[in-house]
Amino acid sequence: MPSFDISLLNSYQTLISRIIRETMLLNDPEGYDGRYPGRKRIKRAQLKAHGTWQEIHMDGHEKLGAQALEMGGIGFPIYGMKDKWGTGILYLSVVPDDRHSDVIGHVFLDFVELYGAIPQQVTTDKGSETGHIYGFMTGLKSTYAPNIDLTRYPCHVAVKSTNNTPIEGLWRWFRDQCGKNLHLHITKGRDEGIFNPNNPIHRNKLMPSGVSPNELHAHPEHYAGRCFAIPVPEDAILALRDSIKISREAALRWVPDEFDIMARQVYEGLGSPVASAETAWELFSQMAAIMH
């Protein structure tokens, strides 16, 4: 990893820890005093059990991204989280840009907010889009699981993309099961001349085997496992969100607000028809004809 990335991530650790401390002091001073590392000496022991939330793999899928679709910058990249032990797909999100650190920072906090917890370890590739993850995980794990030695049990590990095999396997499954058909449905508009990338209306946008994953995630103790999730309060998540330069609304916005309002009005004027992969381009053509 380049040296400038390391210094950036290290600076995040100090910043995020300070934000979390201030939030805890404001909301629960006595609780903070009891949690502060060193106030209680907890004997550290090696984690011997394995189970859900011990390691979550994160990665982006770009087979539906702008470069793959070749539709004038239009793309639908996906970012996901998968549990290593139970193989459960815990979170998937279609995002405007899966290579922007602020976007992925908000997606990660959406994931933490949904479950109210973080894993013992997050594993990602070495892309710059994970720039917030080290700081967020270090600050949260240090605060809400201070008895765990981060030098022995790191909170974030960055590996080569080819070594991030659990999540890479998910993308291969997705491609084989539905990704190819979805790619054909999306590019149909381009191939049949319905979508014109040079038309501003068309492209208005801002730049344990044998057991189901759901069962393993819900009841790891039934299969010689345990849940390693570290609970995180909502106040801490909100504080971390405020530390990201771009707001969640801006980071996950697909089109300008003015265009969104106009498109919604046209869609509602057509009776708000249900859209599917088979009917999406027909609906697109109807809306585009009105909005020209």
Side-chain angles (χ1 to χ4, degrees):
M1 180 180 292
S3 59
F4 68 85
D5 279 344
I6 295 175
S7 64
L8 173 63
L9 298 178
N10 286 336
S11 68
Y12 262 108
Q13 177 178 353
T14 301
L15 172 63
I16 301 308
S17 296
R18 177 177 60 79
I19 291 173
I20 295 174
R21 284 198 302 271
E22 292 175 353
T23 302
M24 291 184 67
L25 282 170
L26 180 63
N27 291 277
D28 187 13
E30 295 183 1
Y32 171 80
D33 187 71
R35 286 178 178 269
Y36 188 82
R39 299 295 174 89
K40 293 182 180 180
R41 292 198 175 274
I42 301 174
K43 184 179 180 180
R44 295 185 175 118
Q46 183 178 7
L47 296 175
K48 297 181 179 180
H50 297 280
T52 58
W53 291 84
Q54 186 172 25
E55 185 175 355
I56 301 296
H57 289 255
M58 298 171 40
D59 190 30
H61 178 65
E62 297 187 340
K63 296 302 182 182
L64 298 177
Q67 186 174 355
L69 295 180
E70 298 181 334
M71 295 176 63
I74 300 298
F76 305 95
I78 306 170
Y79 206 82
M81 289 80 165
K82 183 180 181 181
D83 185 82
K84 182 177 183 178
W85 184 81
T87 70
I89 304 169
L90 301 186
Y91 196 76
L92 291 174
S93 179
V94 181
V95 296
D97 185 354
D98 68 333
R99 296 189 178 187
H100 196 297
S101 61
D102 287 351
V103 173
I104 302 309
H106 282 295
V107 170
F108 175 72
L109 292 178
D110 285 346
F111 166 70
V112 177
E113 186 174 19
L114 176 65
Y115 289 98
I118 58 170
Q120 294 287 339
Q121 176 182 312
V122 164
T123 299
T124 70
D125 62 23
K126 298 182 179 182
S128 60
E129 71 275 4
T130 64
H132 289 291
I133 307 304
Y134 175 85
F136 288 174
M137 281 294 297
T138 301
L140 291 170
K141 189 173 180 180
S142 298
T143 302
Y144 298 107
N147 57 308
I148 298 177
D149 186 352
L150 295 184
T151 61
R152 296 181 64 188
Y153 308 106
C155 58
H156 176 227
V157 174
V159 299
K160 293 181 179 179
S161 179
T162 52
N163 293 336
N164 199 6
T165 50
I167 194 77
E168 291 294 338
L170 166 62
W171 300 138
R172 285 193 294 272
W173 173 87
F174 175 81
R175 180 194 61 202
D176 294 339
Q177 294 297 316
C178 60
K180 293 180 180 178
N181 287 338
L182 191 54
H183 185 282
L184 290 174
H185 280 300
I186 294 174
T187 55
K188 174 183 177 181
R190 176 202 64 196
D191 297 339
E192 296 186 3
I194 302 171
F195 175 84
N196 179 5
N198 297 316
N199 187 320
I201 293 294
H202 287 196
R203 64 180 306 276
N204 200 318
K205 66 183 291 288
L206 300 176
M207 294 285 122
S209 178
V211 182
S212 76
N214 289 341
E215 172 65 13
L216 289 172
H217 186 262
H219 304 289
E221 68 280 1
H222 294 174
Y223 304 94
R226 55 173 286 195
C227 178
F228 288 87
I230 300 171
V232 173
E234 187 173 353
D235 286 348
I237 299 170
L238 294 175
L240 293 181
R241 233 185 251 291
D242 289 340
S243 73
I244 300 178
K245 183 178 180 180
I246 300 176
S247 69
R248 180 183 184 279
E249 291 72 20
L252 300 179
R253 182 182 293 134
W254 288 90
V255 296
D257 290 339
E258 299 79 6
F259 184 86
D260 182 60
I261 293 172
M262 180 172 60
R264 287 180 183 275
Q265 290 175 343
V266 172
Y267 175 70
E268 292 171 359
L270 291 173
S272 302
V274 177
S276 66
E278 290 76 16
T279 64
W281 283 116
E282 179 182 354
L283 177 59
F284 177 91
S285 298
Q286 294 173 0
M287 292 181 62
I290 298 173
M291 296 172 69
H292 271 300

